[in-house]
Amino acid sequence: QVQLVESGGGLVQPGGSLRLSCAASGSIFSINAMGWYRQAPGKERELVAAITSGGSTNYADSVKGRFTISRDNAKKTVYLEMNSLKPEDTAVYFCNAEVATMASPFYGVDYWGKGTLVTVSS
């Protein structure tokens, strides 16, 4: 009914940059908060950054000053600009969105993308 598709992951050297994108599609009435999570091998999934429909943002302490989240509401897309990447940023990055569908326009449900792998290594 609703799909989130991430793109932009890959291999980058320490200190490098990547830009992740996540596009939402389907029977969407509105999208509330959108965010990026990540899960490193052997670790739990953690919040990286989130953005409300009004543009307010929230970041994990570990990425503040290096990562920037943004969204294009017309394109139903959220972005994560990642700079000064470190090996500890290596993880699968998942897109998340709270979506109200056409069938339930006043009730938001969390949807997840399948993830995109970011590897930071020399």
Side-chain angles (χ1 to χ4, degrees), residues 78-100:
V78 63
Y79 306 96
L80 185 68
E81 186 75 35
M82 305 185 294
N83 298 315
S84 302
L85 282 161
K86 305 175 181 179
E88 50 263 44
D89 294 318
T90 295
V92 177
Y93 284 70
F94 297 90
C95 175
N96 169 268
E98 183 186 347
V99 179

PDB file of all heavy atoms in Angstrom, residues 78-100:
ATOM      1  N   VAL A  78      12.718  12.068   1.551  1.00  0.00           N
ATOM      2  CA  VAL A  78      13.584  12.544   2.627  1.00  0.00           C
ATOM      3  C   VAL A  78      15.020  12.224   2.251  1.00  0.00           C
ATOM      4  O   VAL A  78      15.295  11.205   1.609  1.00  0.00           O
ATOM      5  CB  VAL A  78      13.188  11.907   3.983  1.00  0.00           C
ATOM      6  CG1 VAL A  78      13.366  10.386   3.960  1.00  0.00           C
ATOM      7  CG2 VAL A  78      13.962  12.535   5.128  1.00  0.00           C
ATOM      8  N   TYR A  79      15.921  13.106   2.647  1.00  0.00           N
ATOM      9  CA  TYR A  79      17.330  12.977   2.309  1.00  0.00           C
ATOM     10  C   TYR A  79      18.171  12.954   3.576  1.00  0.00           C
ATOM     11  O   TYR A  79      17.791  13.494   4.609  1.00  0.00           O
ATOM     12  CB  TYR A  79      17.785  14.154   1.439  1.00  0.00           C
ATOM     13  CG  TYR A  79      16.961  14.364   0.203  1.00  0.00           C
ATOM     14  CD1 TYR A  79      15.918  15.286   0.191  1.00  0.00           C
ATOM     15  CD2 TYR A  79      17.217  13.632  -0.963  1.00  0.00           C
ATOM     16  CE1 TYR A  79      15.154  15.487  -0.942  1.00  0.00           C
ATOM     17  CE2 TYR A  79      16.453  13.834  -2.101  1.00  0.00           C
ATOM     18  CZ  TYR A  79      15.426  14.756  -2.086  1.00  0.00           C
ATOM     19  OH  TYR A  79      14.672  14.954  -3.216  1.00  0.00           O
ATOM     20  N   LEU A  80      19.347  12.346   3.466  1.00  0.00           N
ATOM     21  CA  LEU A  80      20.322  12.400   4.550  1.00  0.00           C
ATOM     22  C   LEU A  80      21.677  12.685   3.925  1.00  0.00           C
ATOM     23  O   LEU A  80      22.242  11.835   3.233  1.00  0.00           O
ATOM     24  CB  LEU A  80      20.360  11.099   5.345  1.00  0.00           C
ATOM     25  CG  LEU A  80      21.262  11.125   6.576  1.00  0.00           C
ATOM     26  CD1 LEU A  80      20.685  12.075   7.642  1.00  0.00           C
ATOM     27  CD2 LEU A  80      21.434   9.722   7.169  1.00  0.00           C
ATOM     28  N   GLU A  81      22.168  13.880   4.141  1.00  0.00           N
ATOM     29  CA  GLU A  81      23.485  14.273   3.687  1.00  0.00           C
ATOM     30  C   GLU A  81      24.479  13.915   4.779  1.00  0.00           C
ATOM     31  O   GLU A  81      24.361  14.388   5.913  1.00  0.00           O
ATOM     32  CB  GLU A  81      23.525  15.778   3.410  1.00  0.00           C
ATOM     33  CG  GLU A  81      24.815  16.269   2.784  1.00  0.00           C
ATOM     34  CD  GLU A  81      24.922  15.914   1.309  1.00  0.00           C
ATOM     35  OE1 GLU A  81      23.889  15.921   0.622  1.00  0.00           O
ATOM     36  OE2 GLU A  81      26.048  15.626   0.868  1.00  0.00           O
ATOM     37  N   MET A  82      25.442  13.062   4.431  1.00  0.00           N
ATOM     38  CA  MET A  82      26.405  12.575   5.416  1.00  0.00           C
ATOM     39  C   MET A  82      27.802  13.031   5.032  1.00  0.00           C
ATOM     40  O   MET A  82      28.287  12.678   3.953  1.00  0.00           O
ATOM     41  CB  MET A  82      26.352  11.043   5.501  1.00  0.00           C
ATOM     42  CG  MET A  82      24.960  10.505   5.802  1.00  0.00           C
ATOM     43  SD  MET A  82      24.937   8.721   6.046  1.00  0.00           S
ATOM     44  CE  MET A  82      25.369   8.170   4.397  1.00  0.00           C
ATOM     45  N   ASN A  83      28.420  13.813   5.888  1.00  0.00           N
ATOM     46  CA  ASN A  83      29.772  14.321   5.660  1.00  0.00           C
ATOM     47  C   ASN A  83      30.714  13.827   6.757  1.00  0.00           C
ATOM     48  O   ASN A  83      30.268  13.380   7.817  1.00  0.00           O
ATOM     49  CB  ASN A  83      29.751  15.853   5.628  1.00  0.00           C
ATOM     50  CG  ASN A  83      28.897  16.403   4.504  1.00  0.00           C
ATOM     51  OD1 ASN A  83      28.977  15.938   3.367  1.00  0.00           O
ATOM     52  ND2 ASN A  83      28.073  17.393   4.818  1.00  0.00           N
ATOM     53  N   SER A  84      31.997  13.952   6.491  1.00  0.00           N
ATOM     54  CA  SER A  84      33.028  13.548   7.463  1.00  0.00           C
ATOM     55  C   SER A  84      32.739  12.149   8.010  1.00  0.00           C
ATOM     56  O   SER A  84      32.776  11.912   9.219  1.00  0.00           O
ATOM     57  CB  SER A  84      33.098  14.565   8.612  1.00  0.00           C
ATOM     58  OG  SER A  84      33.366  15.860   8.129  1.00  0.00           O
ATOM     59  N   LEU A  85      32.468  11.246   7.115  1.00  0.00           N
ATOM     60  CA  LEU A  85      32.074   9.890   7.526  1.00  0.00           C
ATOM     61  C   LEU A  85      33.209   9.175   8.235  1.00  0.00           C
ATOM     62  O   LEU A  85      34.395   9.351   7.900  1.00  0.00           O
ATOM     63  CB  LEU A  85      31.605   9.093   6.321  1.00  0.00           C
ATOM     64  CG  LEU A  85      30.178   9.446   5.865  1.00  0.00           C
ATOM     65  CD1 LEU A  85      29.940   8.998   4.436  1.00  0.00           C
ATOM     66  CD2 LEU A  85      29.165   8.805   6.808  1.00  0.00           C
ATOM     67  N   LYS A  86      32.830   8.369   9.223  1.00  0.00           N
ATOM     68  CA  LYS A  86      33.775   7.608  10.029  1.00  0.00           C
ATOM     69  C   LYS A  86      33.485   6.116   9.877  1.00  0.00           C
ATOM     70  O   LYS A  86      32.345   5.735   9.563  1.00  0.00           O
ATOM     71  CB  LYS A  86      33.621   7.997  11.502  1.00  0.00           C
ATOM     72  CG  LYS A  86      33.761   9.480  11.793  1.00  0.00           C
ATOM     73  CD  LYS A  86      33.474   9.774  13.253  1.00  0.00           C
ATOM     74  CE  LYS A  86      33.580  11.263  13.555  1.00  0.00           C
ATOM     75  NZ  LYS A  86      33.275  11.554  14.984  1.00  0.00           N
ATOM     76  N   PRO A  87      34.460   5.275  10.135  1.00  0.00           N
ATOM     77  CA  PRO A  87      34.204   3.824  10.053  1.00  0.00           C
ATOM     78  C   PRO A  87      33.031   3.388  10.934  1.00  0.00           C
ATOM     79  O   PRO A  87      32.297   2.474  10.557  1.00  0.00           O
ATOM     80  CB  PRO A  87      35.527   3.220  10.534  1.00  0.00           C
ATOM     81  CG  PRO A  87      36.554   4.229  10.136  1.00  0.00           C
ATOM     82  CD  PRO A  87      35.890   5.556  10.344  1.00  0.00           C
ATOM     83  N   GLU A  88      32.848   4.056  12.058  1.00  0.00           N
ATOM     84  CA  GLU A  88      31.737   3.684  12.945  1.00  0.00           C
ATOM     85  C   GLU A  88      30.366   4.080  12.401  1.00  0.00           C
ATOM     86  O   GLU A  88      29.341   3.727  12.992  1.00  0.00           O
ATOM     87  CB  GLU A  88      31.932   4.280  14.347  1.00  0.00           C
ATOM     88  CG  GLU A  88      32.246   5.761  14.362  1.00  0.00           C
ATOM     89  CD  GLU A  88      33.744   6.040  14.462  1.00  0.00           C
ATOM     90  OE1 GLU A  88      34.528   5.379  13.753  1.00  0.00           O
ATOM     91  OE2 GLU A  88      34.114   6.949  15.252  1.00  0.00           O
ATOM     92  N   ASP A  89      30.325   4.782  11.281  1.00  0.00           N
ATOM     93  CA  ASP A  89      29.058   5.079  10.616  1.00  0.00           C
ATOM     94  C   ASP A  89      28.621   3.921   9.719  1.00  0.00           C
ATOM     95  O   ASP A  89      27.509   3.952   9.172  1.00  0.00           O
ATOM     96  CB  ASP A  89      29.179   6.344   9.764  1.00  0.00           C
ATOM     97  CG  ASP A  89      29.406   7.595  10.592  1.00  0.00           C
ATOM     98  OD1 ASP A  89      28.753   7.737  11.646  1.00  0.00           O
ATOM     99  OD2 ASP A  89      30.245   8.426  10.187  1.00  0.00           O
ATOM    100  N   THR A  90      29.468   2.927   9.571  1.00  0.00           N
ATOM    101  CA  THR A  90      29.136   1.763   8.750  1.00  0.00           C
ATOM    102  C   THR A  90      27.914   1.045   9.317  1.00  0.00           C
ATOM    103  O   THR A  90      27.897   0.677  10.500  1.00  0.00           O
ATOM    104  CB  THR A  90      30.318   0.792   8.683  1.00  0.00           C
ATOM    105  OG1 THR A  90      31.407   1.431   8.009  1.00  0.00           O
ATOM    106  CG2 THR A  90      29.935  -0.484   7.944  1.00  0.00           C
ATOM    107  N   ALA A  91      26.899   0.889   8.482  1.00  0.00           N
ATOM    108  CA  ALA A  91      25.649   0.275   8.930  1.00  0.00           C
ATOM    109  C   ALA A  91      24.700   0.179   7.739  1.00  0.00           C
ATOM    110  O   ALA A  91      24.944   0.763   6.688  1.00  0.00           O
ATOM    111  CB  ALA A  91      25.000   1.114  10.037  1.00  0.00           C
ATOM    112  N   VAL A  92      23.609  -0.548   7.963  1.00  0.00           N
ATOM    113  CA  VAL A  92      22.481  -0.481   7.033  1.00  0.00           C
ATOM    114  C   VAL A  92      21.598   0.670   7.497  1.00  0.00           C
ATOM    115  O   VAL A  92      21.211   0.722   8.677  1.00  0.00           O
ATOM    116  CB  VAL A  92      21.697  -1.801   6.999  1.00  0.00           C
ATOM    117  CG1 VAL A  92      20.491  -1.665   6.069  1.00  0.00           C
ATOM    118  CG2 VAL A  92      22.592  -2.947   6.555  1.00  0.00           C
ATOM    119  N   TYR A  93      21.290   1.562   6.595  1.00  0.00           N
ATOM    120  CA  TYR A  93      20.478   2.743   6.910  1.00  0.00           C
ATOM    121  C   TYR A  93      19.058   2.513   6.406  1.00  0.00           C
ATOM    122  O   TYR A  93      18.847   2.192   5.232  1.00  0.00           O
ATOM    123  CB  TYR A  93      21.089   3.988   6.275  1.00  0.00           C
ATOM    124  CG  TYR A  93      22.305   4.481   7.025  1.00  0.00           C
ATOM    125  CD1 TYR A  93      23.495   3.764   6.999  1.00  0.00           C
ATOM    126  CD2 TYR A  93      22.259   5.648   7.787  1.00  0.00           C
ATOM    127  CE1 TYR A  93      24.609   4.195   7.716  1.00  0.00           C
ATOM    128  CE2 TYR A  93      23.359   6.088   8.495  1.00  0.00           C
ATOM    129  CZ  TYR A  93      24.526   5.357   8.458  1.00  0.00           C
ATOM    130  OH  TYR A  93      25.632   5.789   9.168  1.00  0.00           O
ATOM    131  N   PHE A  94      18.116   2.703   7.317  1.00  0.00           N
ATOM    132  CA  PHE A  94      16.705   2.476   7.017  1.00  0.00           C
ATOM    133  C   PHE A  94      15.940   3.796   7.058  1.00  0.00           C
ATOM    134  O   PHE A  94      16.133   4.611   7.966  1.00  0.00           O
ATOM    135  CB  PHE A  94      16.084   1.525   8.040  1.00  0.00           C
ATOM    136  CG  PHE A  94      16.666   0.144   8.045  1.00  0.00           C
ATOM    137  CD1 PHE A  94      17.745  -0.169   8.863  1.00  0.00           C
ATOM    138  CD2 PHE A  94      16.130  -0.848   7.240  1.00  0.00           C
ATOM    139  CE1 PHE A  94      18.284  -1.447   8.883  1.00  0.00           C
ATOM    140  CE2 PHE A  94      16.660  -2.133   7.252  1.00  0.00           C
ATOM    141  CZ  PHE A  94      17.742  -2.426   8.072  1.00  0.00           C
ATOM    142  N   CYS A  95      15.050   3.944   6.106  1.00  0.00           N
ATOM    143  CA  CYS A  95      14.140   5.080   6.073  1.00  0.00           C
ATOM    144  C   CYS A  95      12.859   4.716   6.825  1.00  0.00           C
ATOM    145  O   CYS A  95      12.386   3.571   6.749  1.00  0.00           O
ATOM    146  CB  CYS A  95      13.825   5.417   4.618  1.00  0.00           C
ATOM    147  SG  CYS A  95      12.606   6.711   4.380  1.00  0.00           S
ATOM    148  N   ASN A  96      12.330   5.680   7.531  1.00  0.00           N
ATOM    149  CA  ASN A  96      11.082   5.484   8.274  1.00  0.00           C
ATOM    150  C   ASN A  96      10.172   6.673   8.031  1.00  0.00           C
ATOM    151  O   ASN A  96      10.649   7.816   7.956  1.00  0.00           O
ATOM    152  CB  ASN A  96      11.392   5.342   9.762  1.00  0.00           C
ATOM    153  CG  ASN A  96      10.145   5.394  10.636  1.00  0.00           C
ATOM    154  OD1 ASN A  96       9.746   6.453  11.110  1.00  0.00           O
ATOM    155  ND2 ASN A  96       9.524   4.249  10.826  1.00  0.00           N
ATOM    156  N   ALA A  97       8.875   6.406   7.925  1.00  0.00           N
ATOM    157  CA  ALA A  97       7.922   7.509   7.759  1.00  0.00           C
ATOM    158  C   ALA A  97       6.608   7.152   8.435  1.00  0.00           C
ATOM    159  O   ALA A  97       6.168   5.994   8.379  1.00  0.00           O
ATOM    160  CB  ALA A  97       7.685   7.794   6.284  1.00  0.00           C
ATOM    161  N   GLU A  98       6.006   8.140   9.064  1.00  0.00           N
ATOM    162  CA  GLU A  98       4.675   7.973   9.637  1.00  0.00           C
ATOM    163  C   GLU A  98       3.688   8.477   8.592  1.00  0.00           C
ATOM    164  O   GLU A  98       3.655   9.674   8.290  1.00  0.00           O
ATOM    165  CB  GLU A  98       4.520   8.757  10.937  1.00  0.00           C
ATOM    166  CG  GLU A  98       3.173   8.550  11.603  1.00  0.00           C
ATOM    167  CD  GLU A  98       2.966   9.447  12.806  1.00  0.00           C
ATOM    168  OE1 GLU A  98       3.953  10.051  13.277  1.00  0.00           O
ATOM    169  OE2 GLU A  98       1.824   9.565  13.254  1.00  0.00           O
ATOM    170  N   VAL A  99       2.906   7.551   8.049  1.00  0.00           N
ATOM    171  CA  VAL A  99       2.077   7.856   6.889  1.00  0.00           C
ATOM    172  C   VAL A  99       0.599   7.640   7.200  1.00  0.00           C
ATOM    173  O   VAL A  99       0.225   6.604   7.775  1.00  0.00           O
ATOM    174  CB  VAL A  99       2.474   6.972   5.693  1.00  0.00           C
ATOM    175  CG1 VAL A  99       1.591   7.274   4.482  1.00  0.00           C
ATOM    176  CG2 VAL A  99       3.944   7.167   5.343  1.00  0.00           C
ATOM    177  N   ALA A 100      -0.205   8.605   6.805  1.00  0.00           N
ATOM    178  CA  ALA A 100      -1.661   8.424   6.819  1.00  0.00           C
ATOM    179  C   ALA A 100      -2.078   8.097   5.388  1.00  0.00           C
ATOM    180  O   ALA A 100      -1.741   8.831   4.457  1.00  0.00           O
ATOM    181  CB  ALA A 100      -2.348   9.697   7.299  1.00  0.00           C
TER     182      ALA A 100
END
